[in-house]
């Protein structure tokens, strides 16, 4: 009776013990599986007073180790579990996993999910997960030779940025002094170094926006602020196939490559040979630098084609594009060629510098009778601000001057409040603005003088299916 009355709570406590987050991942319980728990359940049912005495004696003795395996960690004490059941579980020997035999005759390692006492401890598993390439694509490593580095310095609105390729020998030269490359190799991003003239430079790895603005240019680039809006218009997802007409310097191609991912594809046409070669060169430089500083390589998913898009009907006839990006002088000439290959409901985003080009584009769609609806014509305006401490001409921080209170004016104000108090009820708990202290130094907060004004008009066209009369 005593054993039967104890059986239910013991099994319930064992189940709860195994469901605990901190214990469920323990290699000991993870390797037990279902069979030892079934054996433990039968032992609990057949326990008696003699088993209890034997279990207490075995619990005091040191457990014997299985040859070639480590001893499992002891179970934590849980209130309500009988000593006979605990001793029975501790006396159980974990089954040694049999090595699976490969068809070639070699012995394969056992499945980690069925490991017993030979399973690695939990901290080792956490370290392996942290070191896996899928956990992070960026390496927390110092600068290496061959990668692109961005150096920044400046004072208020006067900013100096220089993009350079790090090598074993050479200098970072500027009007604010020079820094040897040997002093940069081995430093981590965010390091501040002093130049030969005493100017401080911050070194970091460039972002894609920095690279597009500072890379070598042929034609005028598509600014990142406009590229971001075009990506939102086209609603690109990983795995999409996108057509680009007008490779230019390769800035838009890089952003499209990142948007479609390794499973997607970008087909970029350029009519000029020099622009075509420059776009391929800029794309390669970015990929090579990315490979050095990141675990996962940049996807090689852009096909640069030196050809006029108006004569590329045979090149794209087997493709269906999810979106199209046009950056050319006369996009209305290319629309009849790419229209059949744009999917139903697909977006064509057009980058135009002048508003007269927008008018010619819409008129060309009307004449060609293309089922393209103009959903949006936008212009992206970005205003940068300067917020910094105010300084005098000598470079000394200006201090705020606290105004002196005029005693006569204060007495007059008190008399006036007493007179008006008969008509209005003053709130005694309201805090006066004069009780807040002044700050230590004043700040400058205004738009910067040098602003990026108009760059382009962005036109969003959507392909639709017309109704038949």
């Amino acid at each position: 009776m005593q054993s039967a009355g104890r059986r239910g709570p013991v099994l319930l406590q064992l189940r709860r013990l195994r469901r605990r987050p901190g214990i469920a991942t323990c290699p000991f319980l993870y390797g037990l599986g279902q069979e030892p728990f079934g054996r433990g359940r039968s032992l609990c049912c057949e326990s008696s007073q003699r088993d209890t005495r034997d279990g207490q004696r075995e619990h005091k003795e040191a457990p014997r180790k299985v040859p070639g395996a480590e001893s499992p960690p002891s179970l934590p004490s849980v209130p309500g579990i009988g000593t006979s059941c605990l001793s029975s579980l501790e006396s159980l020997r974990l089954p040694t996993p049999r090595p699976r035999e490969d068809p070639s005759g070699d012995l394969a390692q056992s499945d980690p999910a069925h490991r017993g006492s030979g399973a690695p401890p939990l901290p080792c598993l956490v370290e392996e997960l942290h070191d896996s390439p899928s956990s992070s694509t960026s390496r927390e490593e110092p600068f290496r030779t061959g990668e692109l580095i961005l150096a920044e310095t400046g004072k208020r609105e006067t900013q100096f940025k220089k993009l350079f390729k790090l090598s074993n020998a050479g200098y970072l030269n500027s009007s604010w002094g020079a820094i040897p490359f040997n002093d940069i190799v081995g430093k981590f991003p965010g390091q501040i170094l002093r130049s030969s003239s005493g100017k401080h430079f911050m070194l970091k790895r460039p972002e894609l926006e920095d690279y597009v603005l500072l890379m070598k240019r042929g034609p005028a680039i598509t600014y990142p602020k406009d590229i971001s809006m075009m990506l939102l218009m086209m609603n690109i997802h990983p795995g999409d196939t996108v057509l680009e007409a007008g490779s230019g310097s390769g800035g838009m191609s890089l952003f499209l490559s990142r948007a479609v991912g390794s499973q997607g594809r970008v087909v970029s046409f350029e009519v000029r040979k020099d622009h075509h070669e420059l776009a391929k060169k800029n794309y390669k430089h970015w990929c090579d630098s990315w490979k050095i500083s990141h675990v996962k390589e940049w996807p090689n998913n852009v096909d640069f084609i030196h050809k006029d898009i108006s004569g590329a009907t045979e090149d794209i006839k087997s493709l269906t594009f999810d979106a199209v990006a046009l950056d050319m002088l006369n996009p209305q000439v290319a629309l009849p060629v790419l229209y059949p290959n744009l999917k139903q409901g697909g977006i064509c985003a057009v980058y135009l510098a002048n508003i007269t080009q927008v008018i010619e584009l819409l008129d060309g769609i009307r004449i060609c009778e293309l089922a393209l609806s103009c959903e949006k014509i936008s212009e992206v305006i970005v205003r940068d601000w300067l917020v910094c401490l105010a300084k005098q001409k000598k470079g000394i921080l200006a201090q705020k001057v606290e105004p002196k209170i005029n005693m006569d004016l204060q007495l007059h104000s008190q008399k006036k409040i007493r007179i008006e108090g008969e008509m209005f009820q003053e709130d005694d708990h309201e805090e006066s603005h004069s009780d807040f202290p002044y700050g230590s130094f004043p700040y400058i907060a205004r738009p910067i003088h040098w602003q990026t004004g108009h760059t382009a008009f962005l036109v969003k066209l959507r392909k639709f299916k017309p109704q038949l009369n």
Side-chain angles (χ1 to χ4, degrees):
M1 292 296 292
Q2 185 178 1
S3 176
R6 191 188 307 162
R7 185 190 345 171
V10 166
L11 294 178
L12 182 60
Q13 291 292 341
L14 281 176
R15 292 172 183 173
R16 291 178 180 175
L17 179 63
R18 198 183 181 191
R19 292 183 187 140
R20 289 191 179 183
I23 302 178
T25 56
C26 181
F28 171 67
L29 292 179
Y30 191 74
L32 284 177
Q34 297 294 335
E35 181 181 357
F37 275 90
R39 294 172 60 186
R41 186 184 298 110
S42 62
L43 287 174
C44 291
C45 295
E46 299 174 0
S47 62
S48 61
Q49 296 180 358
R50 181 174 52 82
D51 296 332
T52 303
R53 292 192 300 267
D54 296 340
Q56 292 176 355
R57 185 173 59 256
E58 292 176 0
H59 183 68
K60 295 179 181 179
E61 295 176 357
R64 292 183 299 175
K65 292 186 177 181
V66 180
E70 298 179 357
S71 60
S74 59
L75 285 173
S77 60
V78 179
I81 298 183
T83 55
S84 61
C85 187
L86 279 177
S87 60
S88 301
L89 282 178
E90 291 177 356
S91 62
L92 286 176
R93 293 186 180 181
L94 298 179
T96 305
R98 288 185 177 181
R100 293 177 300 175
E101 187 173 356
D102 199 63
S104 60
D106 300 334
L107 293 179
Q109 295 182 355
S110 60
D111 191 0
H114 299 283
R115 292 178 184 174
S117 59
L122 184 59
C124 298
L125 296 177
V126 175
E127 291 178 0
E128 293 176 2
L129 180 62
H130 180 72
D131 296 336
S132 61
S134 60
S135 60
S136 176
T137 59
S138 179
R139 293 175 179 171
E140 295 296 335
E141 296 183 358
F143 294 133
R144 297 180 176 180
T145 57
E147 64 175 315
L148 296 173
I149 308 297
L150 179 63
E152 291 184 351
T153 187
K155 181 180 179 181
R156 291 194 180 183
E157 300 182 48
T158 306
Q159 296 291 333
F160 172 79
K161 294 183 178 182
K162 186 171 184 179
L163 184 69
F164 62 96
K165 186 177 181 180
L166 190 60
S167 59
N168 291 324
Y171 289 86
L172 169 62
N173 297 313
S174 66
S175 57
W176 284 289
I179 300 177
F181 284 164
N182 294 332
D183 296 344
I184 301 177
V185 176
K187 298 295 188 300
F188 284 88
Q191 183 74 34
I192 297 179
L193 297 181
R194 185 188 297 269
S195 65
S196 58
S197 62
K199 192 69 175 179
H200 291 89
F201 284 81
M202 176 179 286
L203 305 177
K204 65 178 184 179
R205 291 189 174 99
E207 300 176 358
L208 185 56
E209 178 183 0
D210 300 323
Y211 179 75
V212 170
L213 292 175
L214 299 175
M215 66 183 183
K216 187 177 180 181
R217 303 183 186 181
I221 64 169
T222 305
Y223 276 77
K225 67 183 184 67
D226 298 321
I227 296 178
S228 301
M229 176 60 74
M230 294 180 69
L231 293 177
L232 290 176
M233 288 181 173
M234 292 185 287
N235 193 24
I236 298 178
H237 297 85
D240 288 351
T241 303
V242 182
L243 172 66
E244 180 192 11
S247 303
S249 300
M252 186 68 182
S253 305
L254 283 168
F255 277 92
L256 290 175
S257 174
R258 184 175 66 177
V260 300
S262 58
Q263 302 298 326
R265 183 182 180 187
V266 178
V267 182
S268 181
F269 286 88
E270 177 57 52
V271 64
R272 291 185 54 171
K273 181 67 174 179
D274 54 343
H275 294 174
H276 169 72
E277 295 296 335
L278 180 60
K280 292 175 60 178
K281 186 177 180 180
N282 288 335
Y283 183 86
K284 183 178 182 300
H285 286 172
W286 174 260
C287 294
D288 293 343
S289 177
W290 181 274
K291 183 178 180 180
I292 297 175
S293 58
H294 292 75
V295 176
K296 189 176 181 180
E297 296 184 6
W298 188 271
N300 186 17
N301 53 6
V302 181
D303 299 328
F304 292 98
I305 302 176
H306 176 220
K307 194 172 186 179
D308 190 359
I309 186 63
S310 58
T313 305
E314 295 296 327
D315 298 281
I316 63 175
K317 65 178 182 179
S318 61
L319 301 176
T320 301
F321 300 106
D322 299 286
V324 175
L326 301 180
D327 183 7
M328 48 192 305
L329 294 176
N330 301 307
Q332 62 274 9
V333 179
L335 283 178
V337 178
L338 58 90
Y339 175 82
N341 300 91
L342 181 62
K343 73 175 185 179
Q344 197 71 33
I347 300 297
C348 177
V350 188
Y351 182 95
L352 297 171
N354 303 318
I355 194 63
T356 54
Q357 293 177 294
V358 178
I359 298 174
E360 294 174 358
L361 171 65
L362 298 181
D363 197 39
I365 294 174
R366 179 186 61 85
I367 293 175
C368 296
E369 297 182 352
L370 300 177
L372 293 172
S373 62
C374 180
E375 294 187 353
K376 184 186 295 185
I377 301 175
S378 303
E379 181 185 9
V380 181
I381 302 297
V382 177
R383 174 177 292 182
D384 297 323
W385 279 66
L386 173 67
V387 179
C388 64
L389 289 170
K391 292 184 179 181
Q392 299 178 358
K393 293 183 178 180
K394 298 180 181 180
I396 304 174
L397 291 176
Q399 294 184 357
K400 286 186 177 181
V401 180
E402 186 174 354
K404 296 182 180 179
I405 301 176
N406 192 339
M407 300 302 298
D408 297 336
L409 182 60
Q410 186 178 13
L411 294 175
H412 177 71
S413 300
Q414 292 176 357
K415 293 179 181 179
K416 187 176 180 180
I417 291 176
R418 282 198 300 267
I419 295 174
E420 293 179 352
E422 300 176 357
M423 301 175 59
F424 303 95
Q425 294 181 356
E426 295 287 337
D427 188 2
D428 298 335
H429 300 284
E430 185 177 358
E431 191 173 13
S432 176
H433 293 284
S434 61
D435 295 335
F436 291 95
Y438 274 79
S440 301
F441 301 100
Y443 275 78
I444 292 177
R446 58 171 175 80
I448 64 174
H449 297 311
W450 182 263
Q451 297 282 353
T452 302
H454 168 77
T455 52
F457 295 100
L458 308 179
V459 184
K460 180 181 179 181
L461 305 175
R462 184 184 297 272
K463 182 179 180 180
F464 65 96
K465 185 177 182 179
Q467 296 181 354
L468 298 178
N469 296 329

